[in-house]
Amino acid sequence: MYINSNGEQEVTYDAIVVGSGISGGWAAKELCEKGLKTLVLERGRNVRHVLDYPTAAQDPWDTKLRNRVPQDEIDKHYSKQSRTGYTIREASKHWFVKDDEHPYSEVKRFDWMRGYHVGGRSLMWGRQSYRLSDLDFEANAKEGIAVDWPIRYADIAPWYDYVERFAGISGQKEGLPQLPDGVFLPPMELNCVEKHVRARMREKFNDRILTIGRTAHLTKADPEIHGNRGSCQFRNRCIRGCPYGAYFSSNSATLPAAEATGNLTLRPDSIVQEVIYDPQTGKASGVRIMDSETRETHEYFSKVIFLCASTLGSTQILMQSKSDAFPTGMGNASGELGHNLMDHHFRCGASAQFDEFDDQYYKGRRPNGIYIPRFRNLDEATRMPDFIRGYGYQGGASRTNWMRGVAELEAGLGAKLKEALMQPGPWTMGLNGFGECLPYHENKIMLNEEVTDKFGMPTLTIDCEFKENEKNMRKDMMAAAAEILEAAGGKEVATYDSGSYPGLGIHEMGTARMGRDRRASVLNEWNAVHDVPNVFVTDGACMTSAACQNPSLTYMALTARAADYAAQQLKQGNL
Amino acid sequence: MNRREALKYTTITLGAALSATTTAAILQGCTAEPGSDWIPGTLSPTQAEALAAMAETILPATDDSPGARDVHVHRFIDTLLTDWANDETRQEWMEGFQALHQELTGKTKDPAFNKLSAEDQEAALRAINERALSGAPNTATDSFFLELKGQVIGGYFSSKEVGMNILAYDPVPGEYLGCIPVEEVGKAWSLR
């Protein structure tokens, strides 16, 4: 397809993009569409859209173990990747790295979920897509936390519009300043209980609402905009890869668009070892890679380089890019490279049962839930005494399935039990808070030369933890969820805190933050390395604060914005 | 000797010298289900037959739908023990099963749950189900029973026959309707 692996030793391109996930796919599309000959380097194997989704149509009974992975195999290969509890299944394990081949070290528990292949985690992402607002961009400055974001909502808003239109975000406009509306495709429907809770919340609260999740699914495909992608079929098998191309991934959307320009060269199996710095020009001249199949190294050259190798991946490459000018890693004049690691904390909230609507059900497996946007610390009236920032709830209502039968006493055993379990069970609703984590300098990653991966490359040591502000927030995440469910008439309301370790949100952010001051940050307001103006980092590494919204949409917008800037600078001869 | 090894042994050492009928007869003695060629990978034929009887008591065949035995829940559990479980899980399961079996039959030697009358099978399982769910002292046997009950229910409802022909099966819904009368679907959806 769009692979150039004919082994040319030294090739020069206009642009090199490292990584092909959400950010890399966008960088490739934008740079190619602006006429730049672009080389995309992906460390993992190639994945062809549709053709390489082998499990997409499997039913549970189609395989011997009905979607289970043998315990010994998990212990051997997926000891960390299995910590999510839902990803290492027969139908999706092939999207996750084997921990024994790609080790990392933990000073404190950190769950680093990775997928090394073309498309990266855009194939397995949760697809929830929310804008940040000035509440988020101004927070650090107002509260004196870390450093100020060098941009405001007005800088990124047009780019949110731009990426939403192409990616296709389904959602409902709500007019909330803390969660700006976007360019939305038709919203997915709430079910009976969710509609009921939404209505009751409108009656009982003036500070919080329930809306349908905003998600990167085509609910109304437009060939003019979305090309060959089709509308969502509500199978909820997204994590296996969508044969309809209904959810946004690099494979379904941005890479085909980049390829269509004729400017794209995609090179899988290419592990970038370092960015090469040229002290004469003060810029990067290219990258050095190892071909993971041949183990040979190659150098590629370009005028501009986009690092989109994932938050920790991009920072690791910068750390490995040592030179006389940057003895501790490219762009680390500030000493902040590798620091201020963040993730969202979650697995904390409440659930309840709803007795009404026993005669109601739904059709389709909606790959989306509800969202209750942040309602804490928006202003003086919503100020909380024990924590700053806030959280949003994700969750939803559904009818329980047959597994409720294990604890079923009334129906006993036998025919009565069997017949009961063939009917849908009671309605339950869960609210799961996703909370902001502050940027702490001491939450960091370090290059570990002692432990190497199967390619002999250094690995990472991660030292990260949630602290007081997050812990205090979690108490409120439980209490407010129970308050909402009780106000809505839920029965048997129960709070929970299942514990949350950084990484498990799979929203790792920071380690090469943007900032105004080159002495305190790694990247400038255009996502360029302060001291190396032709190297851009546009994935989660750039985040100056975490907000509480799912971050991928922001990476898309920042990437498109930075690509536009880079192309302009190239045209003007500045890079 | 487990069933697989027994088969291998039979085939290699005796197969050539015996007629097909004789081989079948020898193997019959080793299979869990007379008249079928299924050979358990982990359970003994006696254990498999006892498990099948327990599963059938929990979810029996009725006029409208198959029972656990019809959809081979016991075979699925044996497959999990053989190909999914690690040594520790397998050993714990076998110990739990043995203890449960003894408690259900009241025997320690040669217990055979499947040899009890249907009424006795049901009464024995009902008693332990009620005890396990009543909040009374939770013994290891109670816990194992609930684990087994979950495996039976999960194995039954994730089987092809039940998933495609008994429950409401809709692999490609094509739309999401959030509020429809439950009669329009009839049964619980099979896929999650």
Side-chain angles (χ1 to χ4, degrees), chain A residues 537-553:
Chain A
V537 182
T538 67
D539 56 28
C542 76
M543 299 291 278
T544 310
S545 70
C548 67
Q549 299 90 317
N550 306 53
S552 296
L553 183 73

Side-chain angles (χ1 to χ4, degrees), chain A residues 131-143:
Chain A
R131 293 185 177 203
L132 270 56
S133 73
D134 272 335
L135 181 70
D136 306 305
F137 290 113
E138 291 174 355
N140 279 4
K142 280 186 173 169
E143 293 160 356

Side-chain angles (χ1 to χ4, degrees), chain B residues 160-175:
Chain B
K160 184 172 185 175
E161 170 62 17
V162 176
M164 290 184 78
N165 301 326
I166 304 295
L167 296 174
Y169 176 61
D170 193 1
V172 187
E175 60 183 345

Side-chain angles (χ1 to χ4, degrees), chain B residues 43 50 64 105 113 159 192:
Chain B
L43 299 170
D64 299 335
T105 57
F113 179 78
S159 68
R192 281 179 281 166

Side-chain angles (χ1 to χ4, degrees), chain A residues 302-407:
Chain A
S302 66
K303 296 171 199 145
V304 56
I305 295 166
F306 271 66
L307 293 183
C308 302
S310 85
T311 291
L312 301 191
S314 291
T315 294
Q316 181 172 359
I317 291 169
L318 288 173
M319 289 175 148
Q320 287 168 188
S321 306
K322 291 173 184 166
S323 59
D324 290 344
F326 300 107
T328 62
M330 180 175 280
N332 193 28
S334 64
E336 292 295 334
L337 185 67
H339 291 269
N340 313 295
L341 175 59
M342 301 168 281
D343 183 25
H344 292 131
H345 60 99
F346 69 124
R347 289 159 52 91
C348 181
S351 62
Q353 195 164 315
F354 284 82
D355 295 338
E356 307 94 329
F357 312 107
D358 252 10
D359 55 347
Q360 296 291 309
Y361 207 7
Y362 37 79
K363 171 186 162 68
R365 296 180 295 284
R366 189 185 63 196
N368 186 19
I370 60 93
Y371 196 64
I372 297 178
R374 178 175 156 187
F375 52 92
R376 298 302 198 199
N377 294 322
L378 303 179
D379 50 28
E380 275 311 312
T382 56
R383 186 82 53 223
M384 299 301 290
D386 298 330
F387 62 92
I388 59 172
R389 312 290 167 101
Y391 55 85
Y393 289 115
Q394 301 183 29
S398 61
R399 300 195 69 160
T400 52
N401 75 355
W402 49 85
M403 285 315 292
R404 72 186 185 279
V406 178

Side-chain angles (χ1 to χ4, degrees), chain A residues 73-344:
Chain A
E73 184 181 338
I74 289 180
D75 287 347
K76 182 162 187 244
H77 296 306
Y78 302 107
S79 56
K80 295 179 182 183
Q81 301 303 296
S82 62
R83 288 173 182 175
T84 60
Y86 65 91
T87 48
I88 304 305
R89 313 284 292 177
E90 239 174 341
S92 51
K93 69 176 181 183
H94 51 287
W95 298 137
F96 294 85
V97 300
K98 290 181 171 162
D99 289 305
D100 51 329
E101 293 177 5
H102 301 286
Y104 64 94
S105 306
E106 301 161 275
V107 175
K108 305 178 188 84
R109 178 174 159 181
F110 187 95
D111 305 330
W112 190 18
M113 302 300 144
R114 293 154 291 162
Y116 291 162
H117 47 254
V118 166
R121 288 181 293 184
S122 78
L123 281 171
M124 318 90 95
W125 69 308
R127 309 170 306 283
Q128 293 288 299
S129 300
Y130 300 100
R131 293 185 177 203
L132 270 56
S133 73
D134 272 335
L135 181 70
D136 306 305
F137 290 113
E138 291 174 355
N140 279 4
K142 280 186 173 169
E143 293 160 356
I145 302 280
V147 297
D148 187 17
W149 278 89
I151 58 170
R152 288 293 180 264
Y153 181 66
D155 297 309
I156 195 175
W159 294 101
Y160 277 131
D161 288 354
Y162 178 78
V163 298
E164 283 168 347
R165 196 171 288 117
F166 180 79
I169 309 296
S170 146
Q172 171 82 49
K173 293 194 177 194
E174 300 287 1
L176 301 173
Q178 75 272 32
L179 192 78
D181 293 330
V183 178
F184 292 146
L185 295 173
M188 293 180 186
E189 194 187 346
L190 297 170
N191 63 39
C192 291
V193 166
E194 294 161 350
K195 282 176 186 167
H196 165 80
V197 173
R198 175 177 164 99
R200 294 295 284 268
M201 284 177 71
R202 281 206 183 284
E203 288 165 26
K204 306 231 172 166
F205 299 101
N206 57 18
D207 62 352
R208 67 197 81 168
I209 64 142
L210 179 151
T211 189
I212 184 70
R214 297 173 177 178
T215 186
H217 284 250
L218 301 186
T219 45
K220 197 176 175 188
D222 179 348
E224 297 265 314
I225 302 170
H226 309 119
N228 292 328
R229 297 175 58 200
S231 291
C232 181
Q233 300 299 305
F234 296 94
R235 304 175 336 129
N236 198 22
R237 287 172 170 171
C238 317
I239 197 170
R240 307 172 182 196
C242 183
Y244 305 91
Y247 74 83
F248 173 90
S249 68
S250 299
N251 312 62
S252 69
T254 44
L255 290 177
E259 189 199 7
T261 64
N263 291 327
L264 174 70
T265 303
L266 173 64
R267 196 185 196 288
D269 305 312
S270 304
I271 302 169
V272 173
Q273 299 175 310
E274 65 174 302
V275 179
I276 304 163
Y277 181 69
D278 180 352
Q280 304 295 319
T281 61
K283 291 186 288 194
S285 58
V287 300
R288 183 174 298 113
I289 70 150
M290 176 194 280
D291 185 306
S292 66
E293 295 293 300
T294 66
R295 307 285 169 112
E296 288 170 351
T297 57
H298 304 272
E299 289 182 358
Y300 293 97
F301 302 99
S302 66
K303 296 171 199 145
V304 56
I305 295 166
F306 271 66
L307 293 183
C308 302
S310 85
T311 291
L312 301 191
S314 291
T315 294
Q316 181 172 359
I317 291 169
L318 288 173
M319 289 175 148
Q320 287 168 188
S321 306
K322 291 173 184 166
S323 59
D324 290 344
F326 300 107
T328 62
M330 180 175 280
N332 193 28
S334 64
E336 292 295 334
L337 185 67
H339 291 269
N340 313 295
L341 175 59
M342 301 168 281
D343 183 25
H344 292 131

